[in-house]
Every structure is written in C-alpha cells, then in structure tokens.
Amino acid sequence: MVVLSVPAEVTVILLDIEGTTTPIAFVKDNLFSYIKENVKEYLQTHWEEEECQQDVNLLRKQAEEDSHLDGAVPIPAASGNGSDGLQQMIQAVVDNVFWQMSLDRKTTALKQLQGHMWRVAFTAGHIKAEFFEDVVPAVRKWREAGLKVYIYSSGSVEAQKLLFGHSTEGNILELFDGHFDTKIGHKVESESYRKIANSIGCSTNNILFLTDVTVEASAAEEAGVHVAVVVRPGNAGLTDDEKTYYNLITSFSELYLPTST
Ligand SMILES: CSCCC(=O)C(=O)COP(=O)(O)O
Ligand SMILES: [Mg+2]
C-alpha cells in the first residue's frame, strides 16, 4: 500500500466532498437528479415563502452576472399578471437551474436552492448519503490523534450538514469541527484557503486539503496549504503531469500520521 506521511505541522484536515468523501455517481445520480426531477414542483409549492423568494432573487442576480455567457438563461425581474405570468417566471427559474446544472456550475445561488430542496429529501429519509468505506474510520482516527477535521465543499453548509447528518452510516456530524462553502470564496481561488485558515485560527501550512480536483489543489497550494489529490473510482482522470506533480492517494487509509503506530 502507498503511504503518504502527513507533515508534522499539520493540525487540520480539510475535506472536499464530491469525489473525495463521496462518489461522484452518488452526487449526480441521487442529489442532482432529485433537483432536476423536483425543481418545478418545489418552486410551485414554496413560491410564496420568504426563503424561496430569497433563493429566486439570488438566482436572478447570478443570471444578470451570467448574461454575457453563451446559452445563459435570464430570469425576468417581475412576473406578468395572473397565473400565466407566474408560470412563465417559474419556468425561467427552472430553465436557469437546468442550464447551470448542465455546466456543473458551483454558484452560491444554485447551491443555496439545492440545499433547501434536499432538506425534505434527507429529513424524510428519501436520500441517504454515501461515503467511501475508508472515510469514517480515517476521520475517527485523525480525531483520536488530535487533528481537527473540517469540510470545504461547493455544496452549501446547510446541504453539507444534511449529508453528514443523514447517511448510510447514521448521523456523523459530530466528527467535524466545522464547515465551509462558497460563501467564504470559491474553491479555485487561493484567497479562500487563507480565509479558512484565518477562520479556524491556524496558519495555512497547518492544513492538509484533500480534493479530487487539481485546480482546487493548486489554489490551496498557492496559499501555502498542504494538498493531496484523491483518486477515486468515477473521478475525472489526471494528466501525466498532474500524476507526477501531486501527492496522490486512493484511500484516506494511505495517510500516515507522525504519531501513528
Ligand atoms: C451536500 S454537498 C452536495 C454536493 C455538491 O453540490 C457539490 O457541488 C459538490 O462539490 P464539491 O466541492 O464537494 O466537490
Ligand atoms: Mg470534489
């Protein structure tokens, strides 16, 4: 088995979700499919609620910022009169959500709506999150060794808590010291990792970030964070240069702590 030594200065493990703790197939086939199948009905049912209106307003603001992009779907400022106008507005939001999802965009607006929609699916037990089998034992071991463990995902913090709170391994939320999402900044921007270190109260070189996406690894590394790229079944392939450059692990059990026996 390949072993990667965790540098002695590391006191925090920062984990990505999709492709790192959780199969991409689970996210696509369960979480994202649920959104596509239910978004129209969700908007029709919850339209009058303040939370839903906040989600729509954020999506509208994002649509304005995206207006220069090819294929972007605008969301009108106000619906026309009557139920026809409302249905047209809802359809515009649905089309915008489908367009963003077709590009796997990680905008805060999209992720906020998705998180709110998954609330029902997780709490009613329709969806249970899945983790690679090495994840939970390794996180427990790291914590026993005194490390802190945080999550940094494009999925909203609310969605992250639903995922770890309703899984095939039960509610494992207590295993995490905290959660970060795109509200702190995008995962491909170095500044996000400096802000995370600041928020945790440590230096960037005290953090080891595990992710499947090399652009995220590169941004974290630029901020002084230690990184390892996680290679899991179903993840996007890496180039030969990426395979040579990055520390790669295929299981969390390949991480060796200086204090491990
Ligand atoms: C409950 S997290 C949902 C996963 C998600 O929406 C997503 O975009 C995953 O992105 P990640 O940054 O974890 O790769
Ligand atoms: Mg990922």
Side-chain angles (χ1 to χ4, degrees):
M1 181 175 81
V2 179
V3 168
L4 176 66
S5 276
V6 176
E9 65 190 0
V10 167
T11 54
V12 172
I13 309 265
L14 184 64
L15 297 175
D16 163 67
I17 295 178
E18 185 184 9
T20 297
T21 63
T22 299
I24 290 179
F26 169 79
V27 174
K28 290 218 163 100
D29 300 344
N30 295 274
L31 297 184
F32 290 172
S33 293
Y34 178 87
I35 301 296
K36 290 180 189 160
E37 283 161 22
N38 293 285
V39 63
K40 188 164 187 173
E41 192 191 330
Y42 178 88
L43 291 169
Q44 282 167 334
T45 309
H46 298 274
W47 189 259
E48 300 298 338
E49 295 166 20
E50 194 178 331
E51 180 183 87
C52 185
Q53 280 305 304
Q54 284 169 359
D55 292 348
V56 170
N57 286 336
L58 207 58
L59 284 165
R60 185 180 292 113
K61 225 168 125 201
Q62 183 65 48
E64 283 161 16
E65 283 172 32
D66 292 342
S67 56
H68 64 288
L69 297 178
D70 224 18
V73 179
I75 301 176
S79 56
N81 288 337
S83 72
D84 281 358
L86 177 61
Q87 288 311 315
Q88 279 166 15
M89 172 72 88
I90 288 175
Q91 192 56 50
V93 178
V94 170
D95 292 344
N96 179 280
V97 166
F98 268 73
W99 172 70
Q100 289 205 57
M101 289 185 72
S102 73
L103 300 174
D104 195 20
R105 297 193 77 217
K106 306 288 188 185
T107 64
T108 303
L110 176 65
K111 296 294 156 185
Q112 181 172 302
L113 173 72
Q114 289 178 337
H116 291 150
M117 287 185 63
W118 288 324
R119 197 188 285 149
V120 178
F122 276 112
T123 54
H126 298 318
I127 298 183
K128 277 195 193 308
E130 292 169 18
F131 308 115
F132 290 105
E133 63 181 9
D134 50 282
V135 170
V136 175
V139 173
R140 289 193 200 284
K141 194 169 146 200
W142 299 336
R143 290 177 64 83
E144 278 162 23
L147 294 174
K148 290 192 180 303
V149 184
Y150 287 81
I151 302 294
Y152 182 28
S153 169
S154 304
S156 68
V157 167
E158 186 175 354
Q160 295 173 26
K161 289 182 177 171
L162 287 166
L163 183 114
F164 291 105
H166 303 83
S167 81
T168 53
E169 317 223 15
N171 178 349
I172 56 160
L173 264 179
E174 62 172 21
L175 294 182
F176 302 99
D177 293 281
H179 299 257
F180 298 98
D181 61 19
T182 53
K183 285 193 177 145
I184 202 143
H186 287 283
K187 294 173 78 185
V188 295
E189 290 164 8
S190 297
E191 189 54 20
S192 309
Y193 299 88
R194 292 188 196 98
K195 286 184 182 163
I196 286 174
N198 194 39
S199 167
I200 294 172
C202 66
S203 299
T204 52
N205 66 358
N206 297 135
I207 300 176
L208 170 64
F209 178 46
L210 305 182
T211 180
D212 59 317
V213 176
T214 53
V215 210
E216 296 172 5
S218 167
E221 197 177 51
E222 200 183 307
V225 166
H226 296 276
V227 298
V229 172
V230 185
V231 178
R232 300 287 201 181
N235 285 5
L238 302 174
T239 64
D240 287 344
D241 283 352
E242 287 169 337
K243 283 184 198 160
T244 310
Y245 181 79
Y246 289 106
N247 288 317
L248 306 179
I249 57 169
T250 60
S251 161
F252 288 0
S253 64
E254 292 166 12
L255 286 180
Y256 174 81
L257 303 181
T259 52
S260 302
T261 49

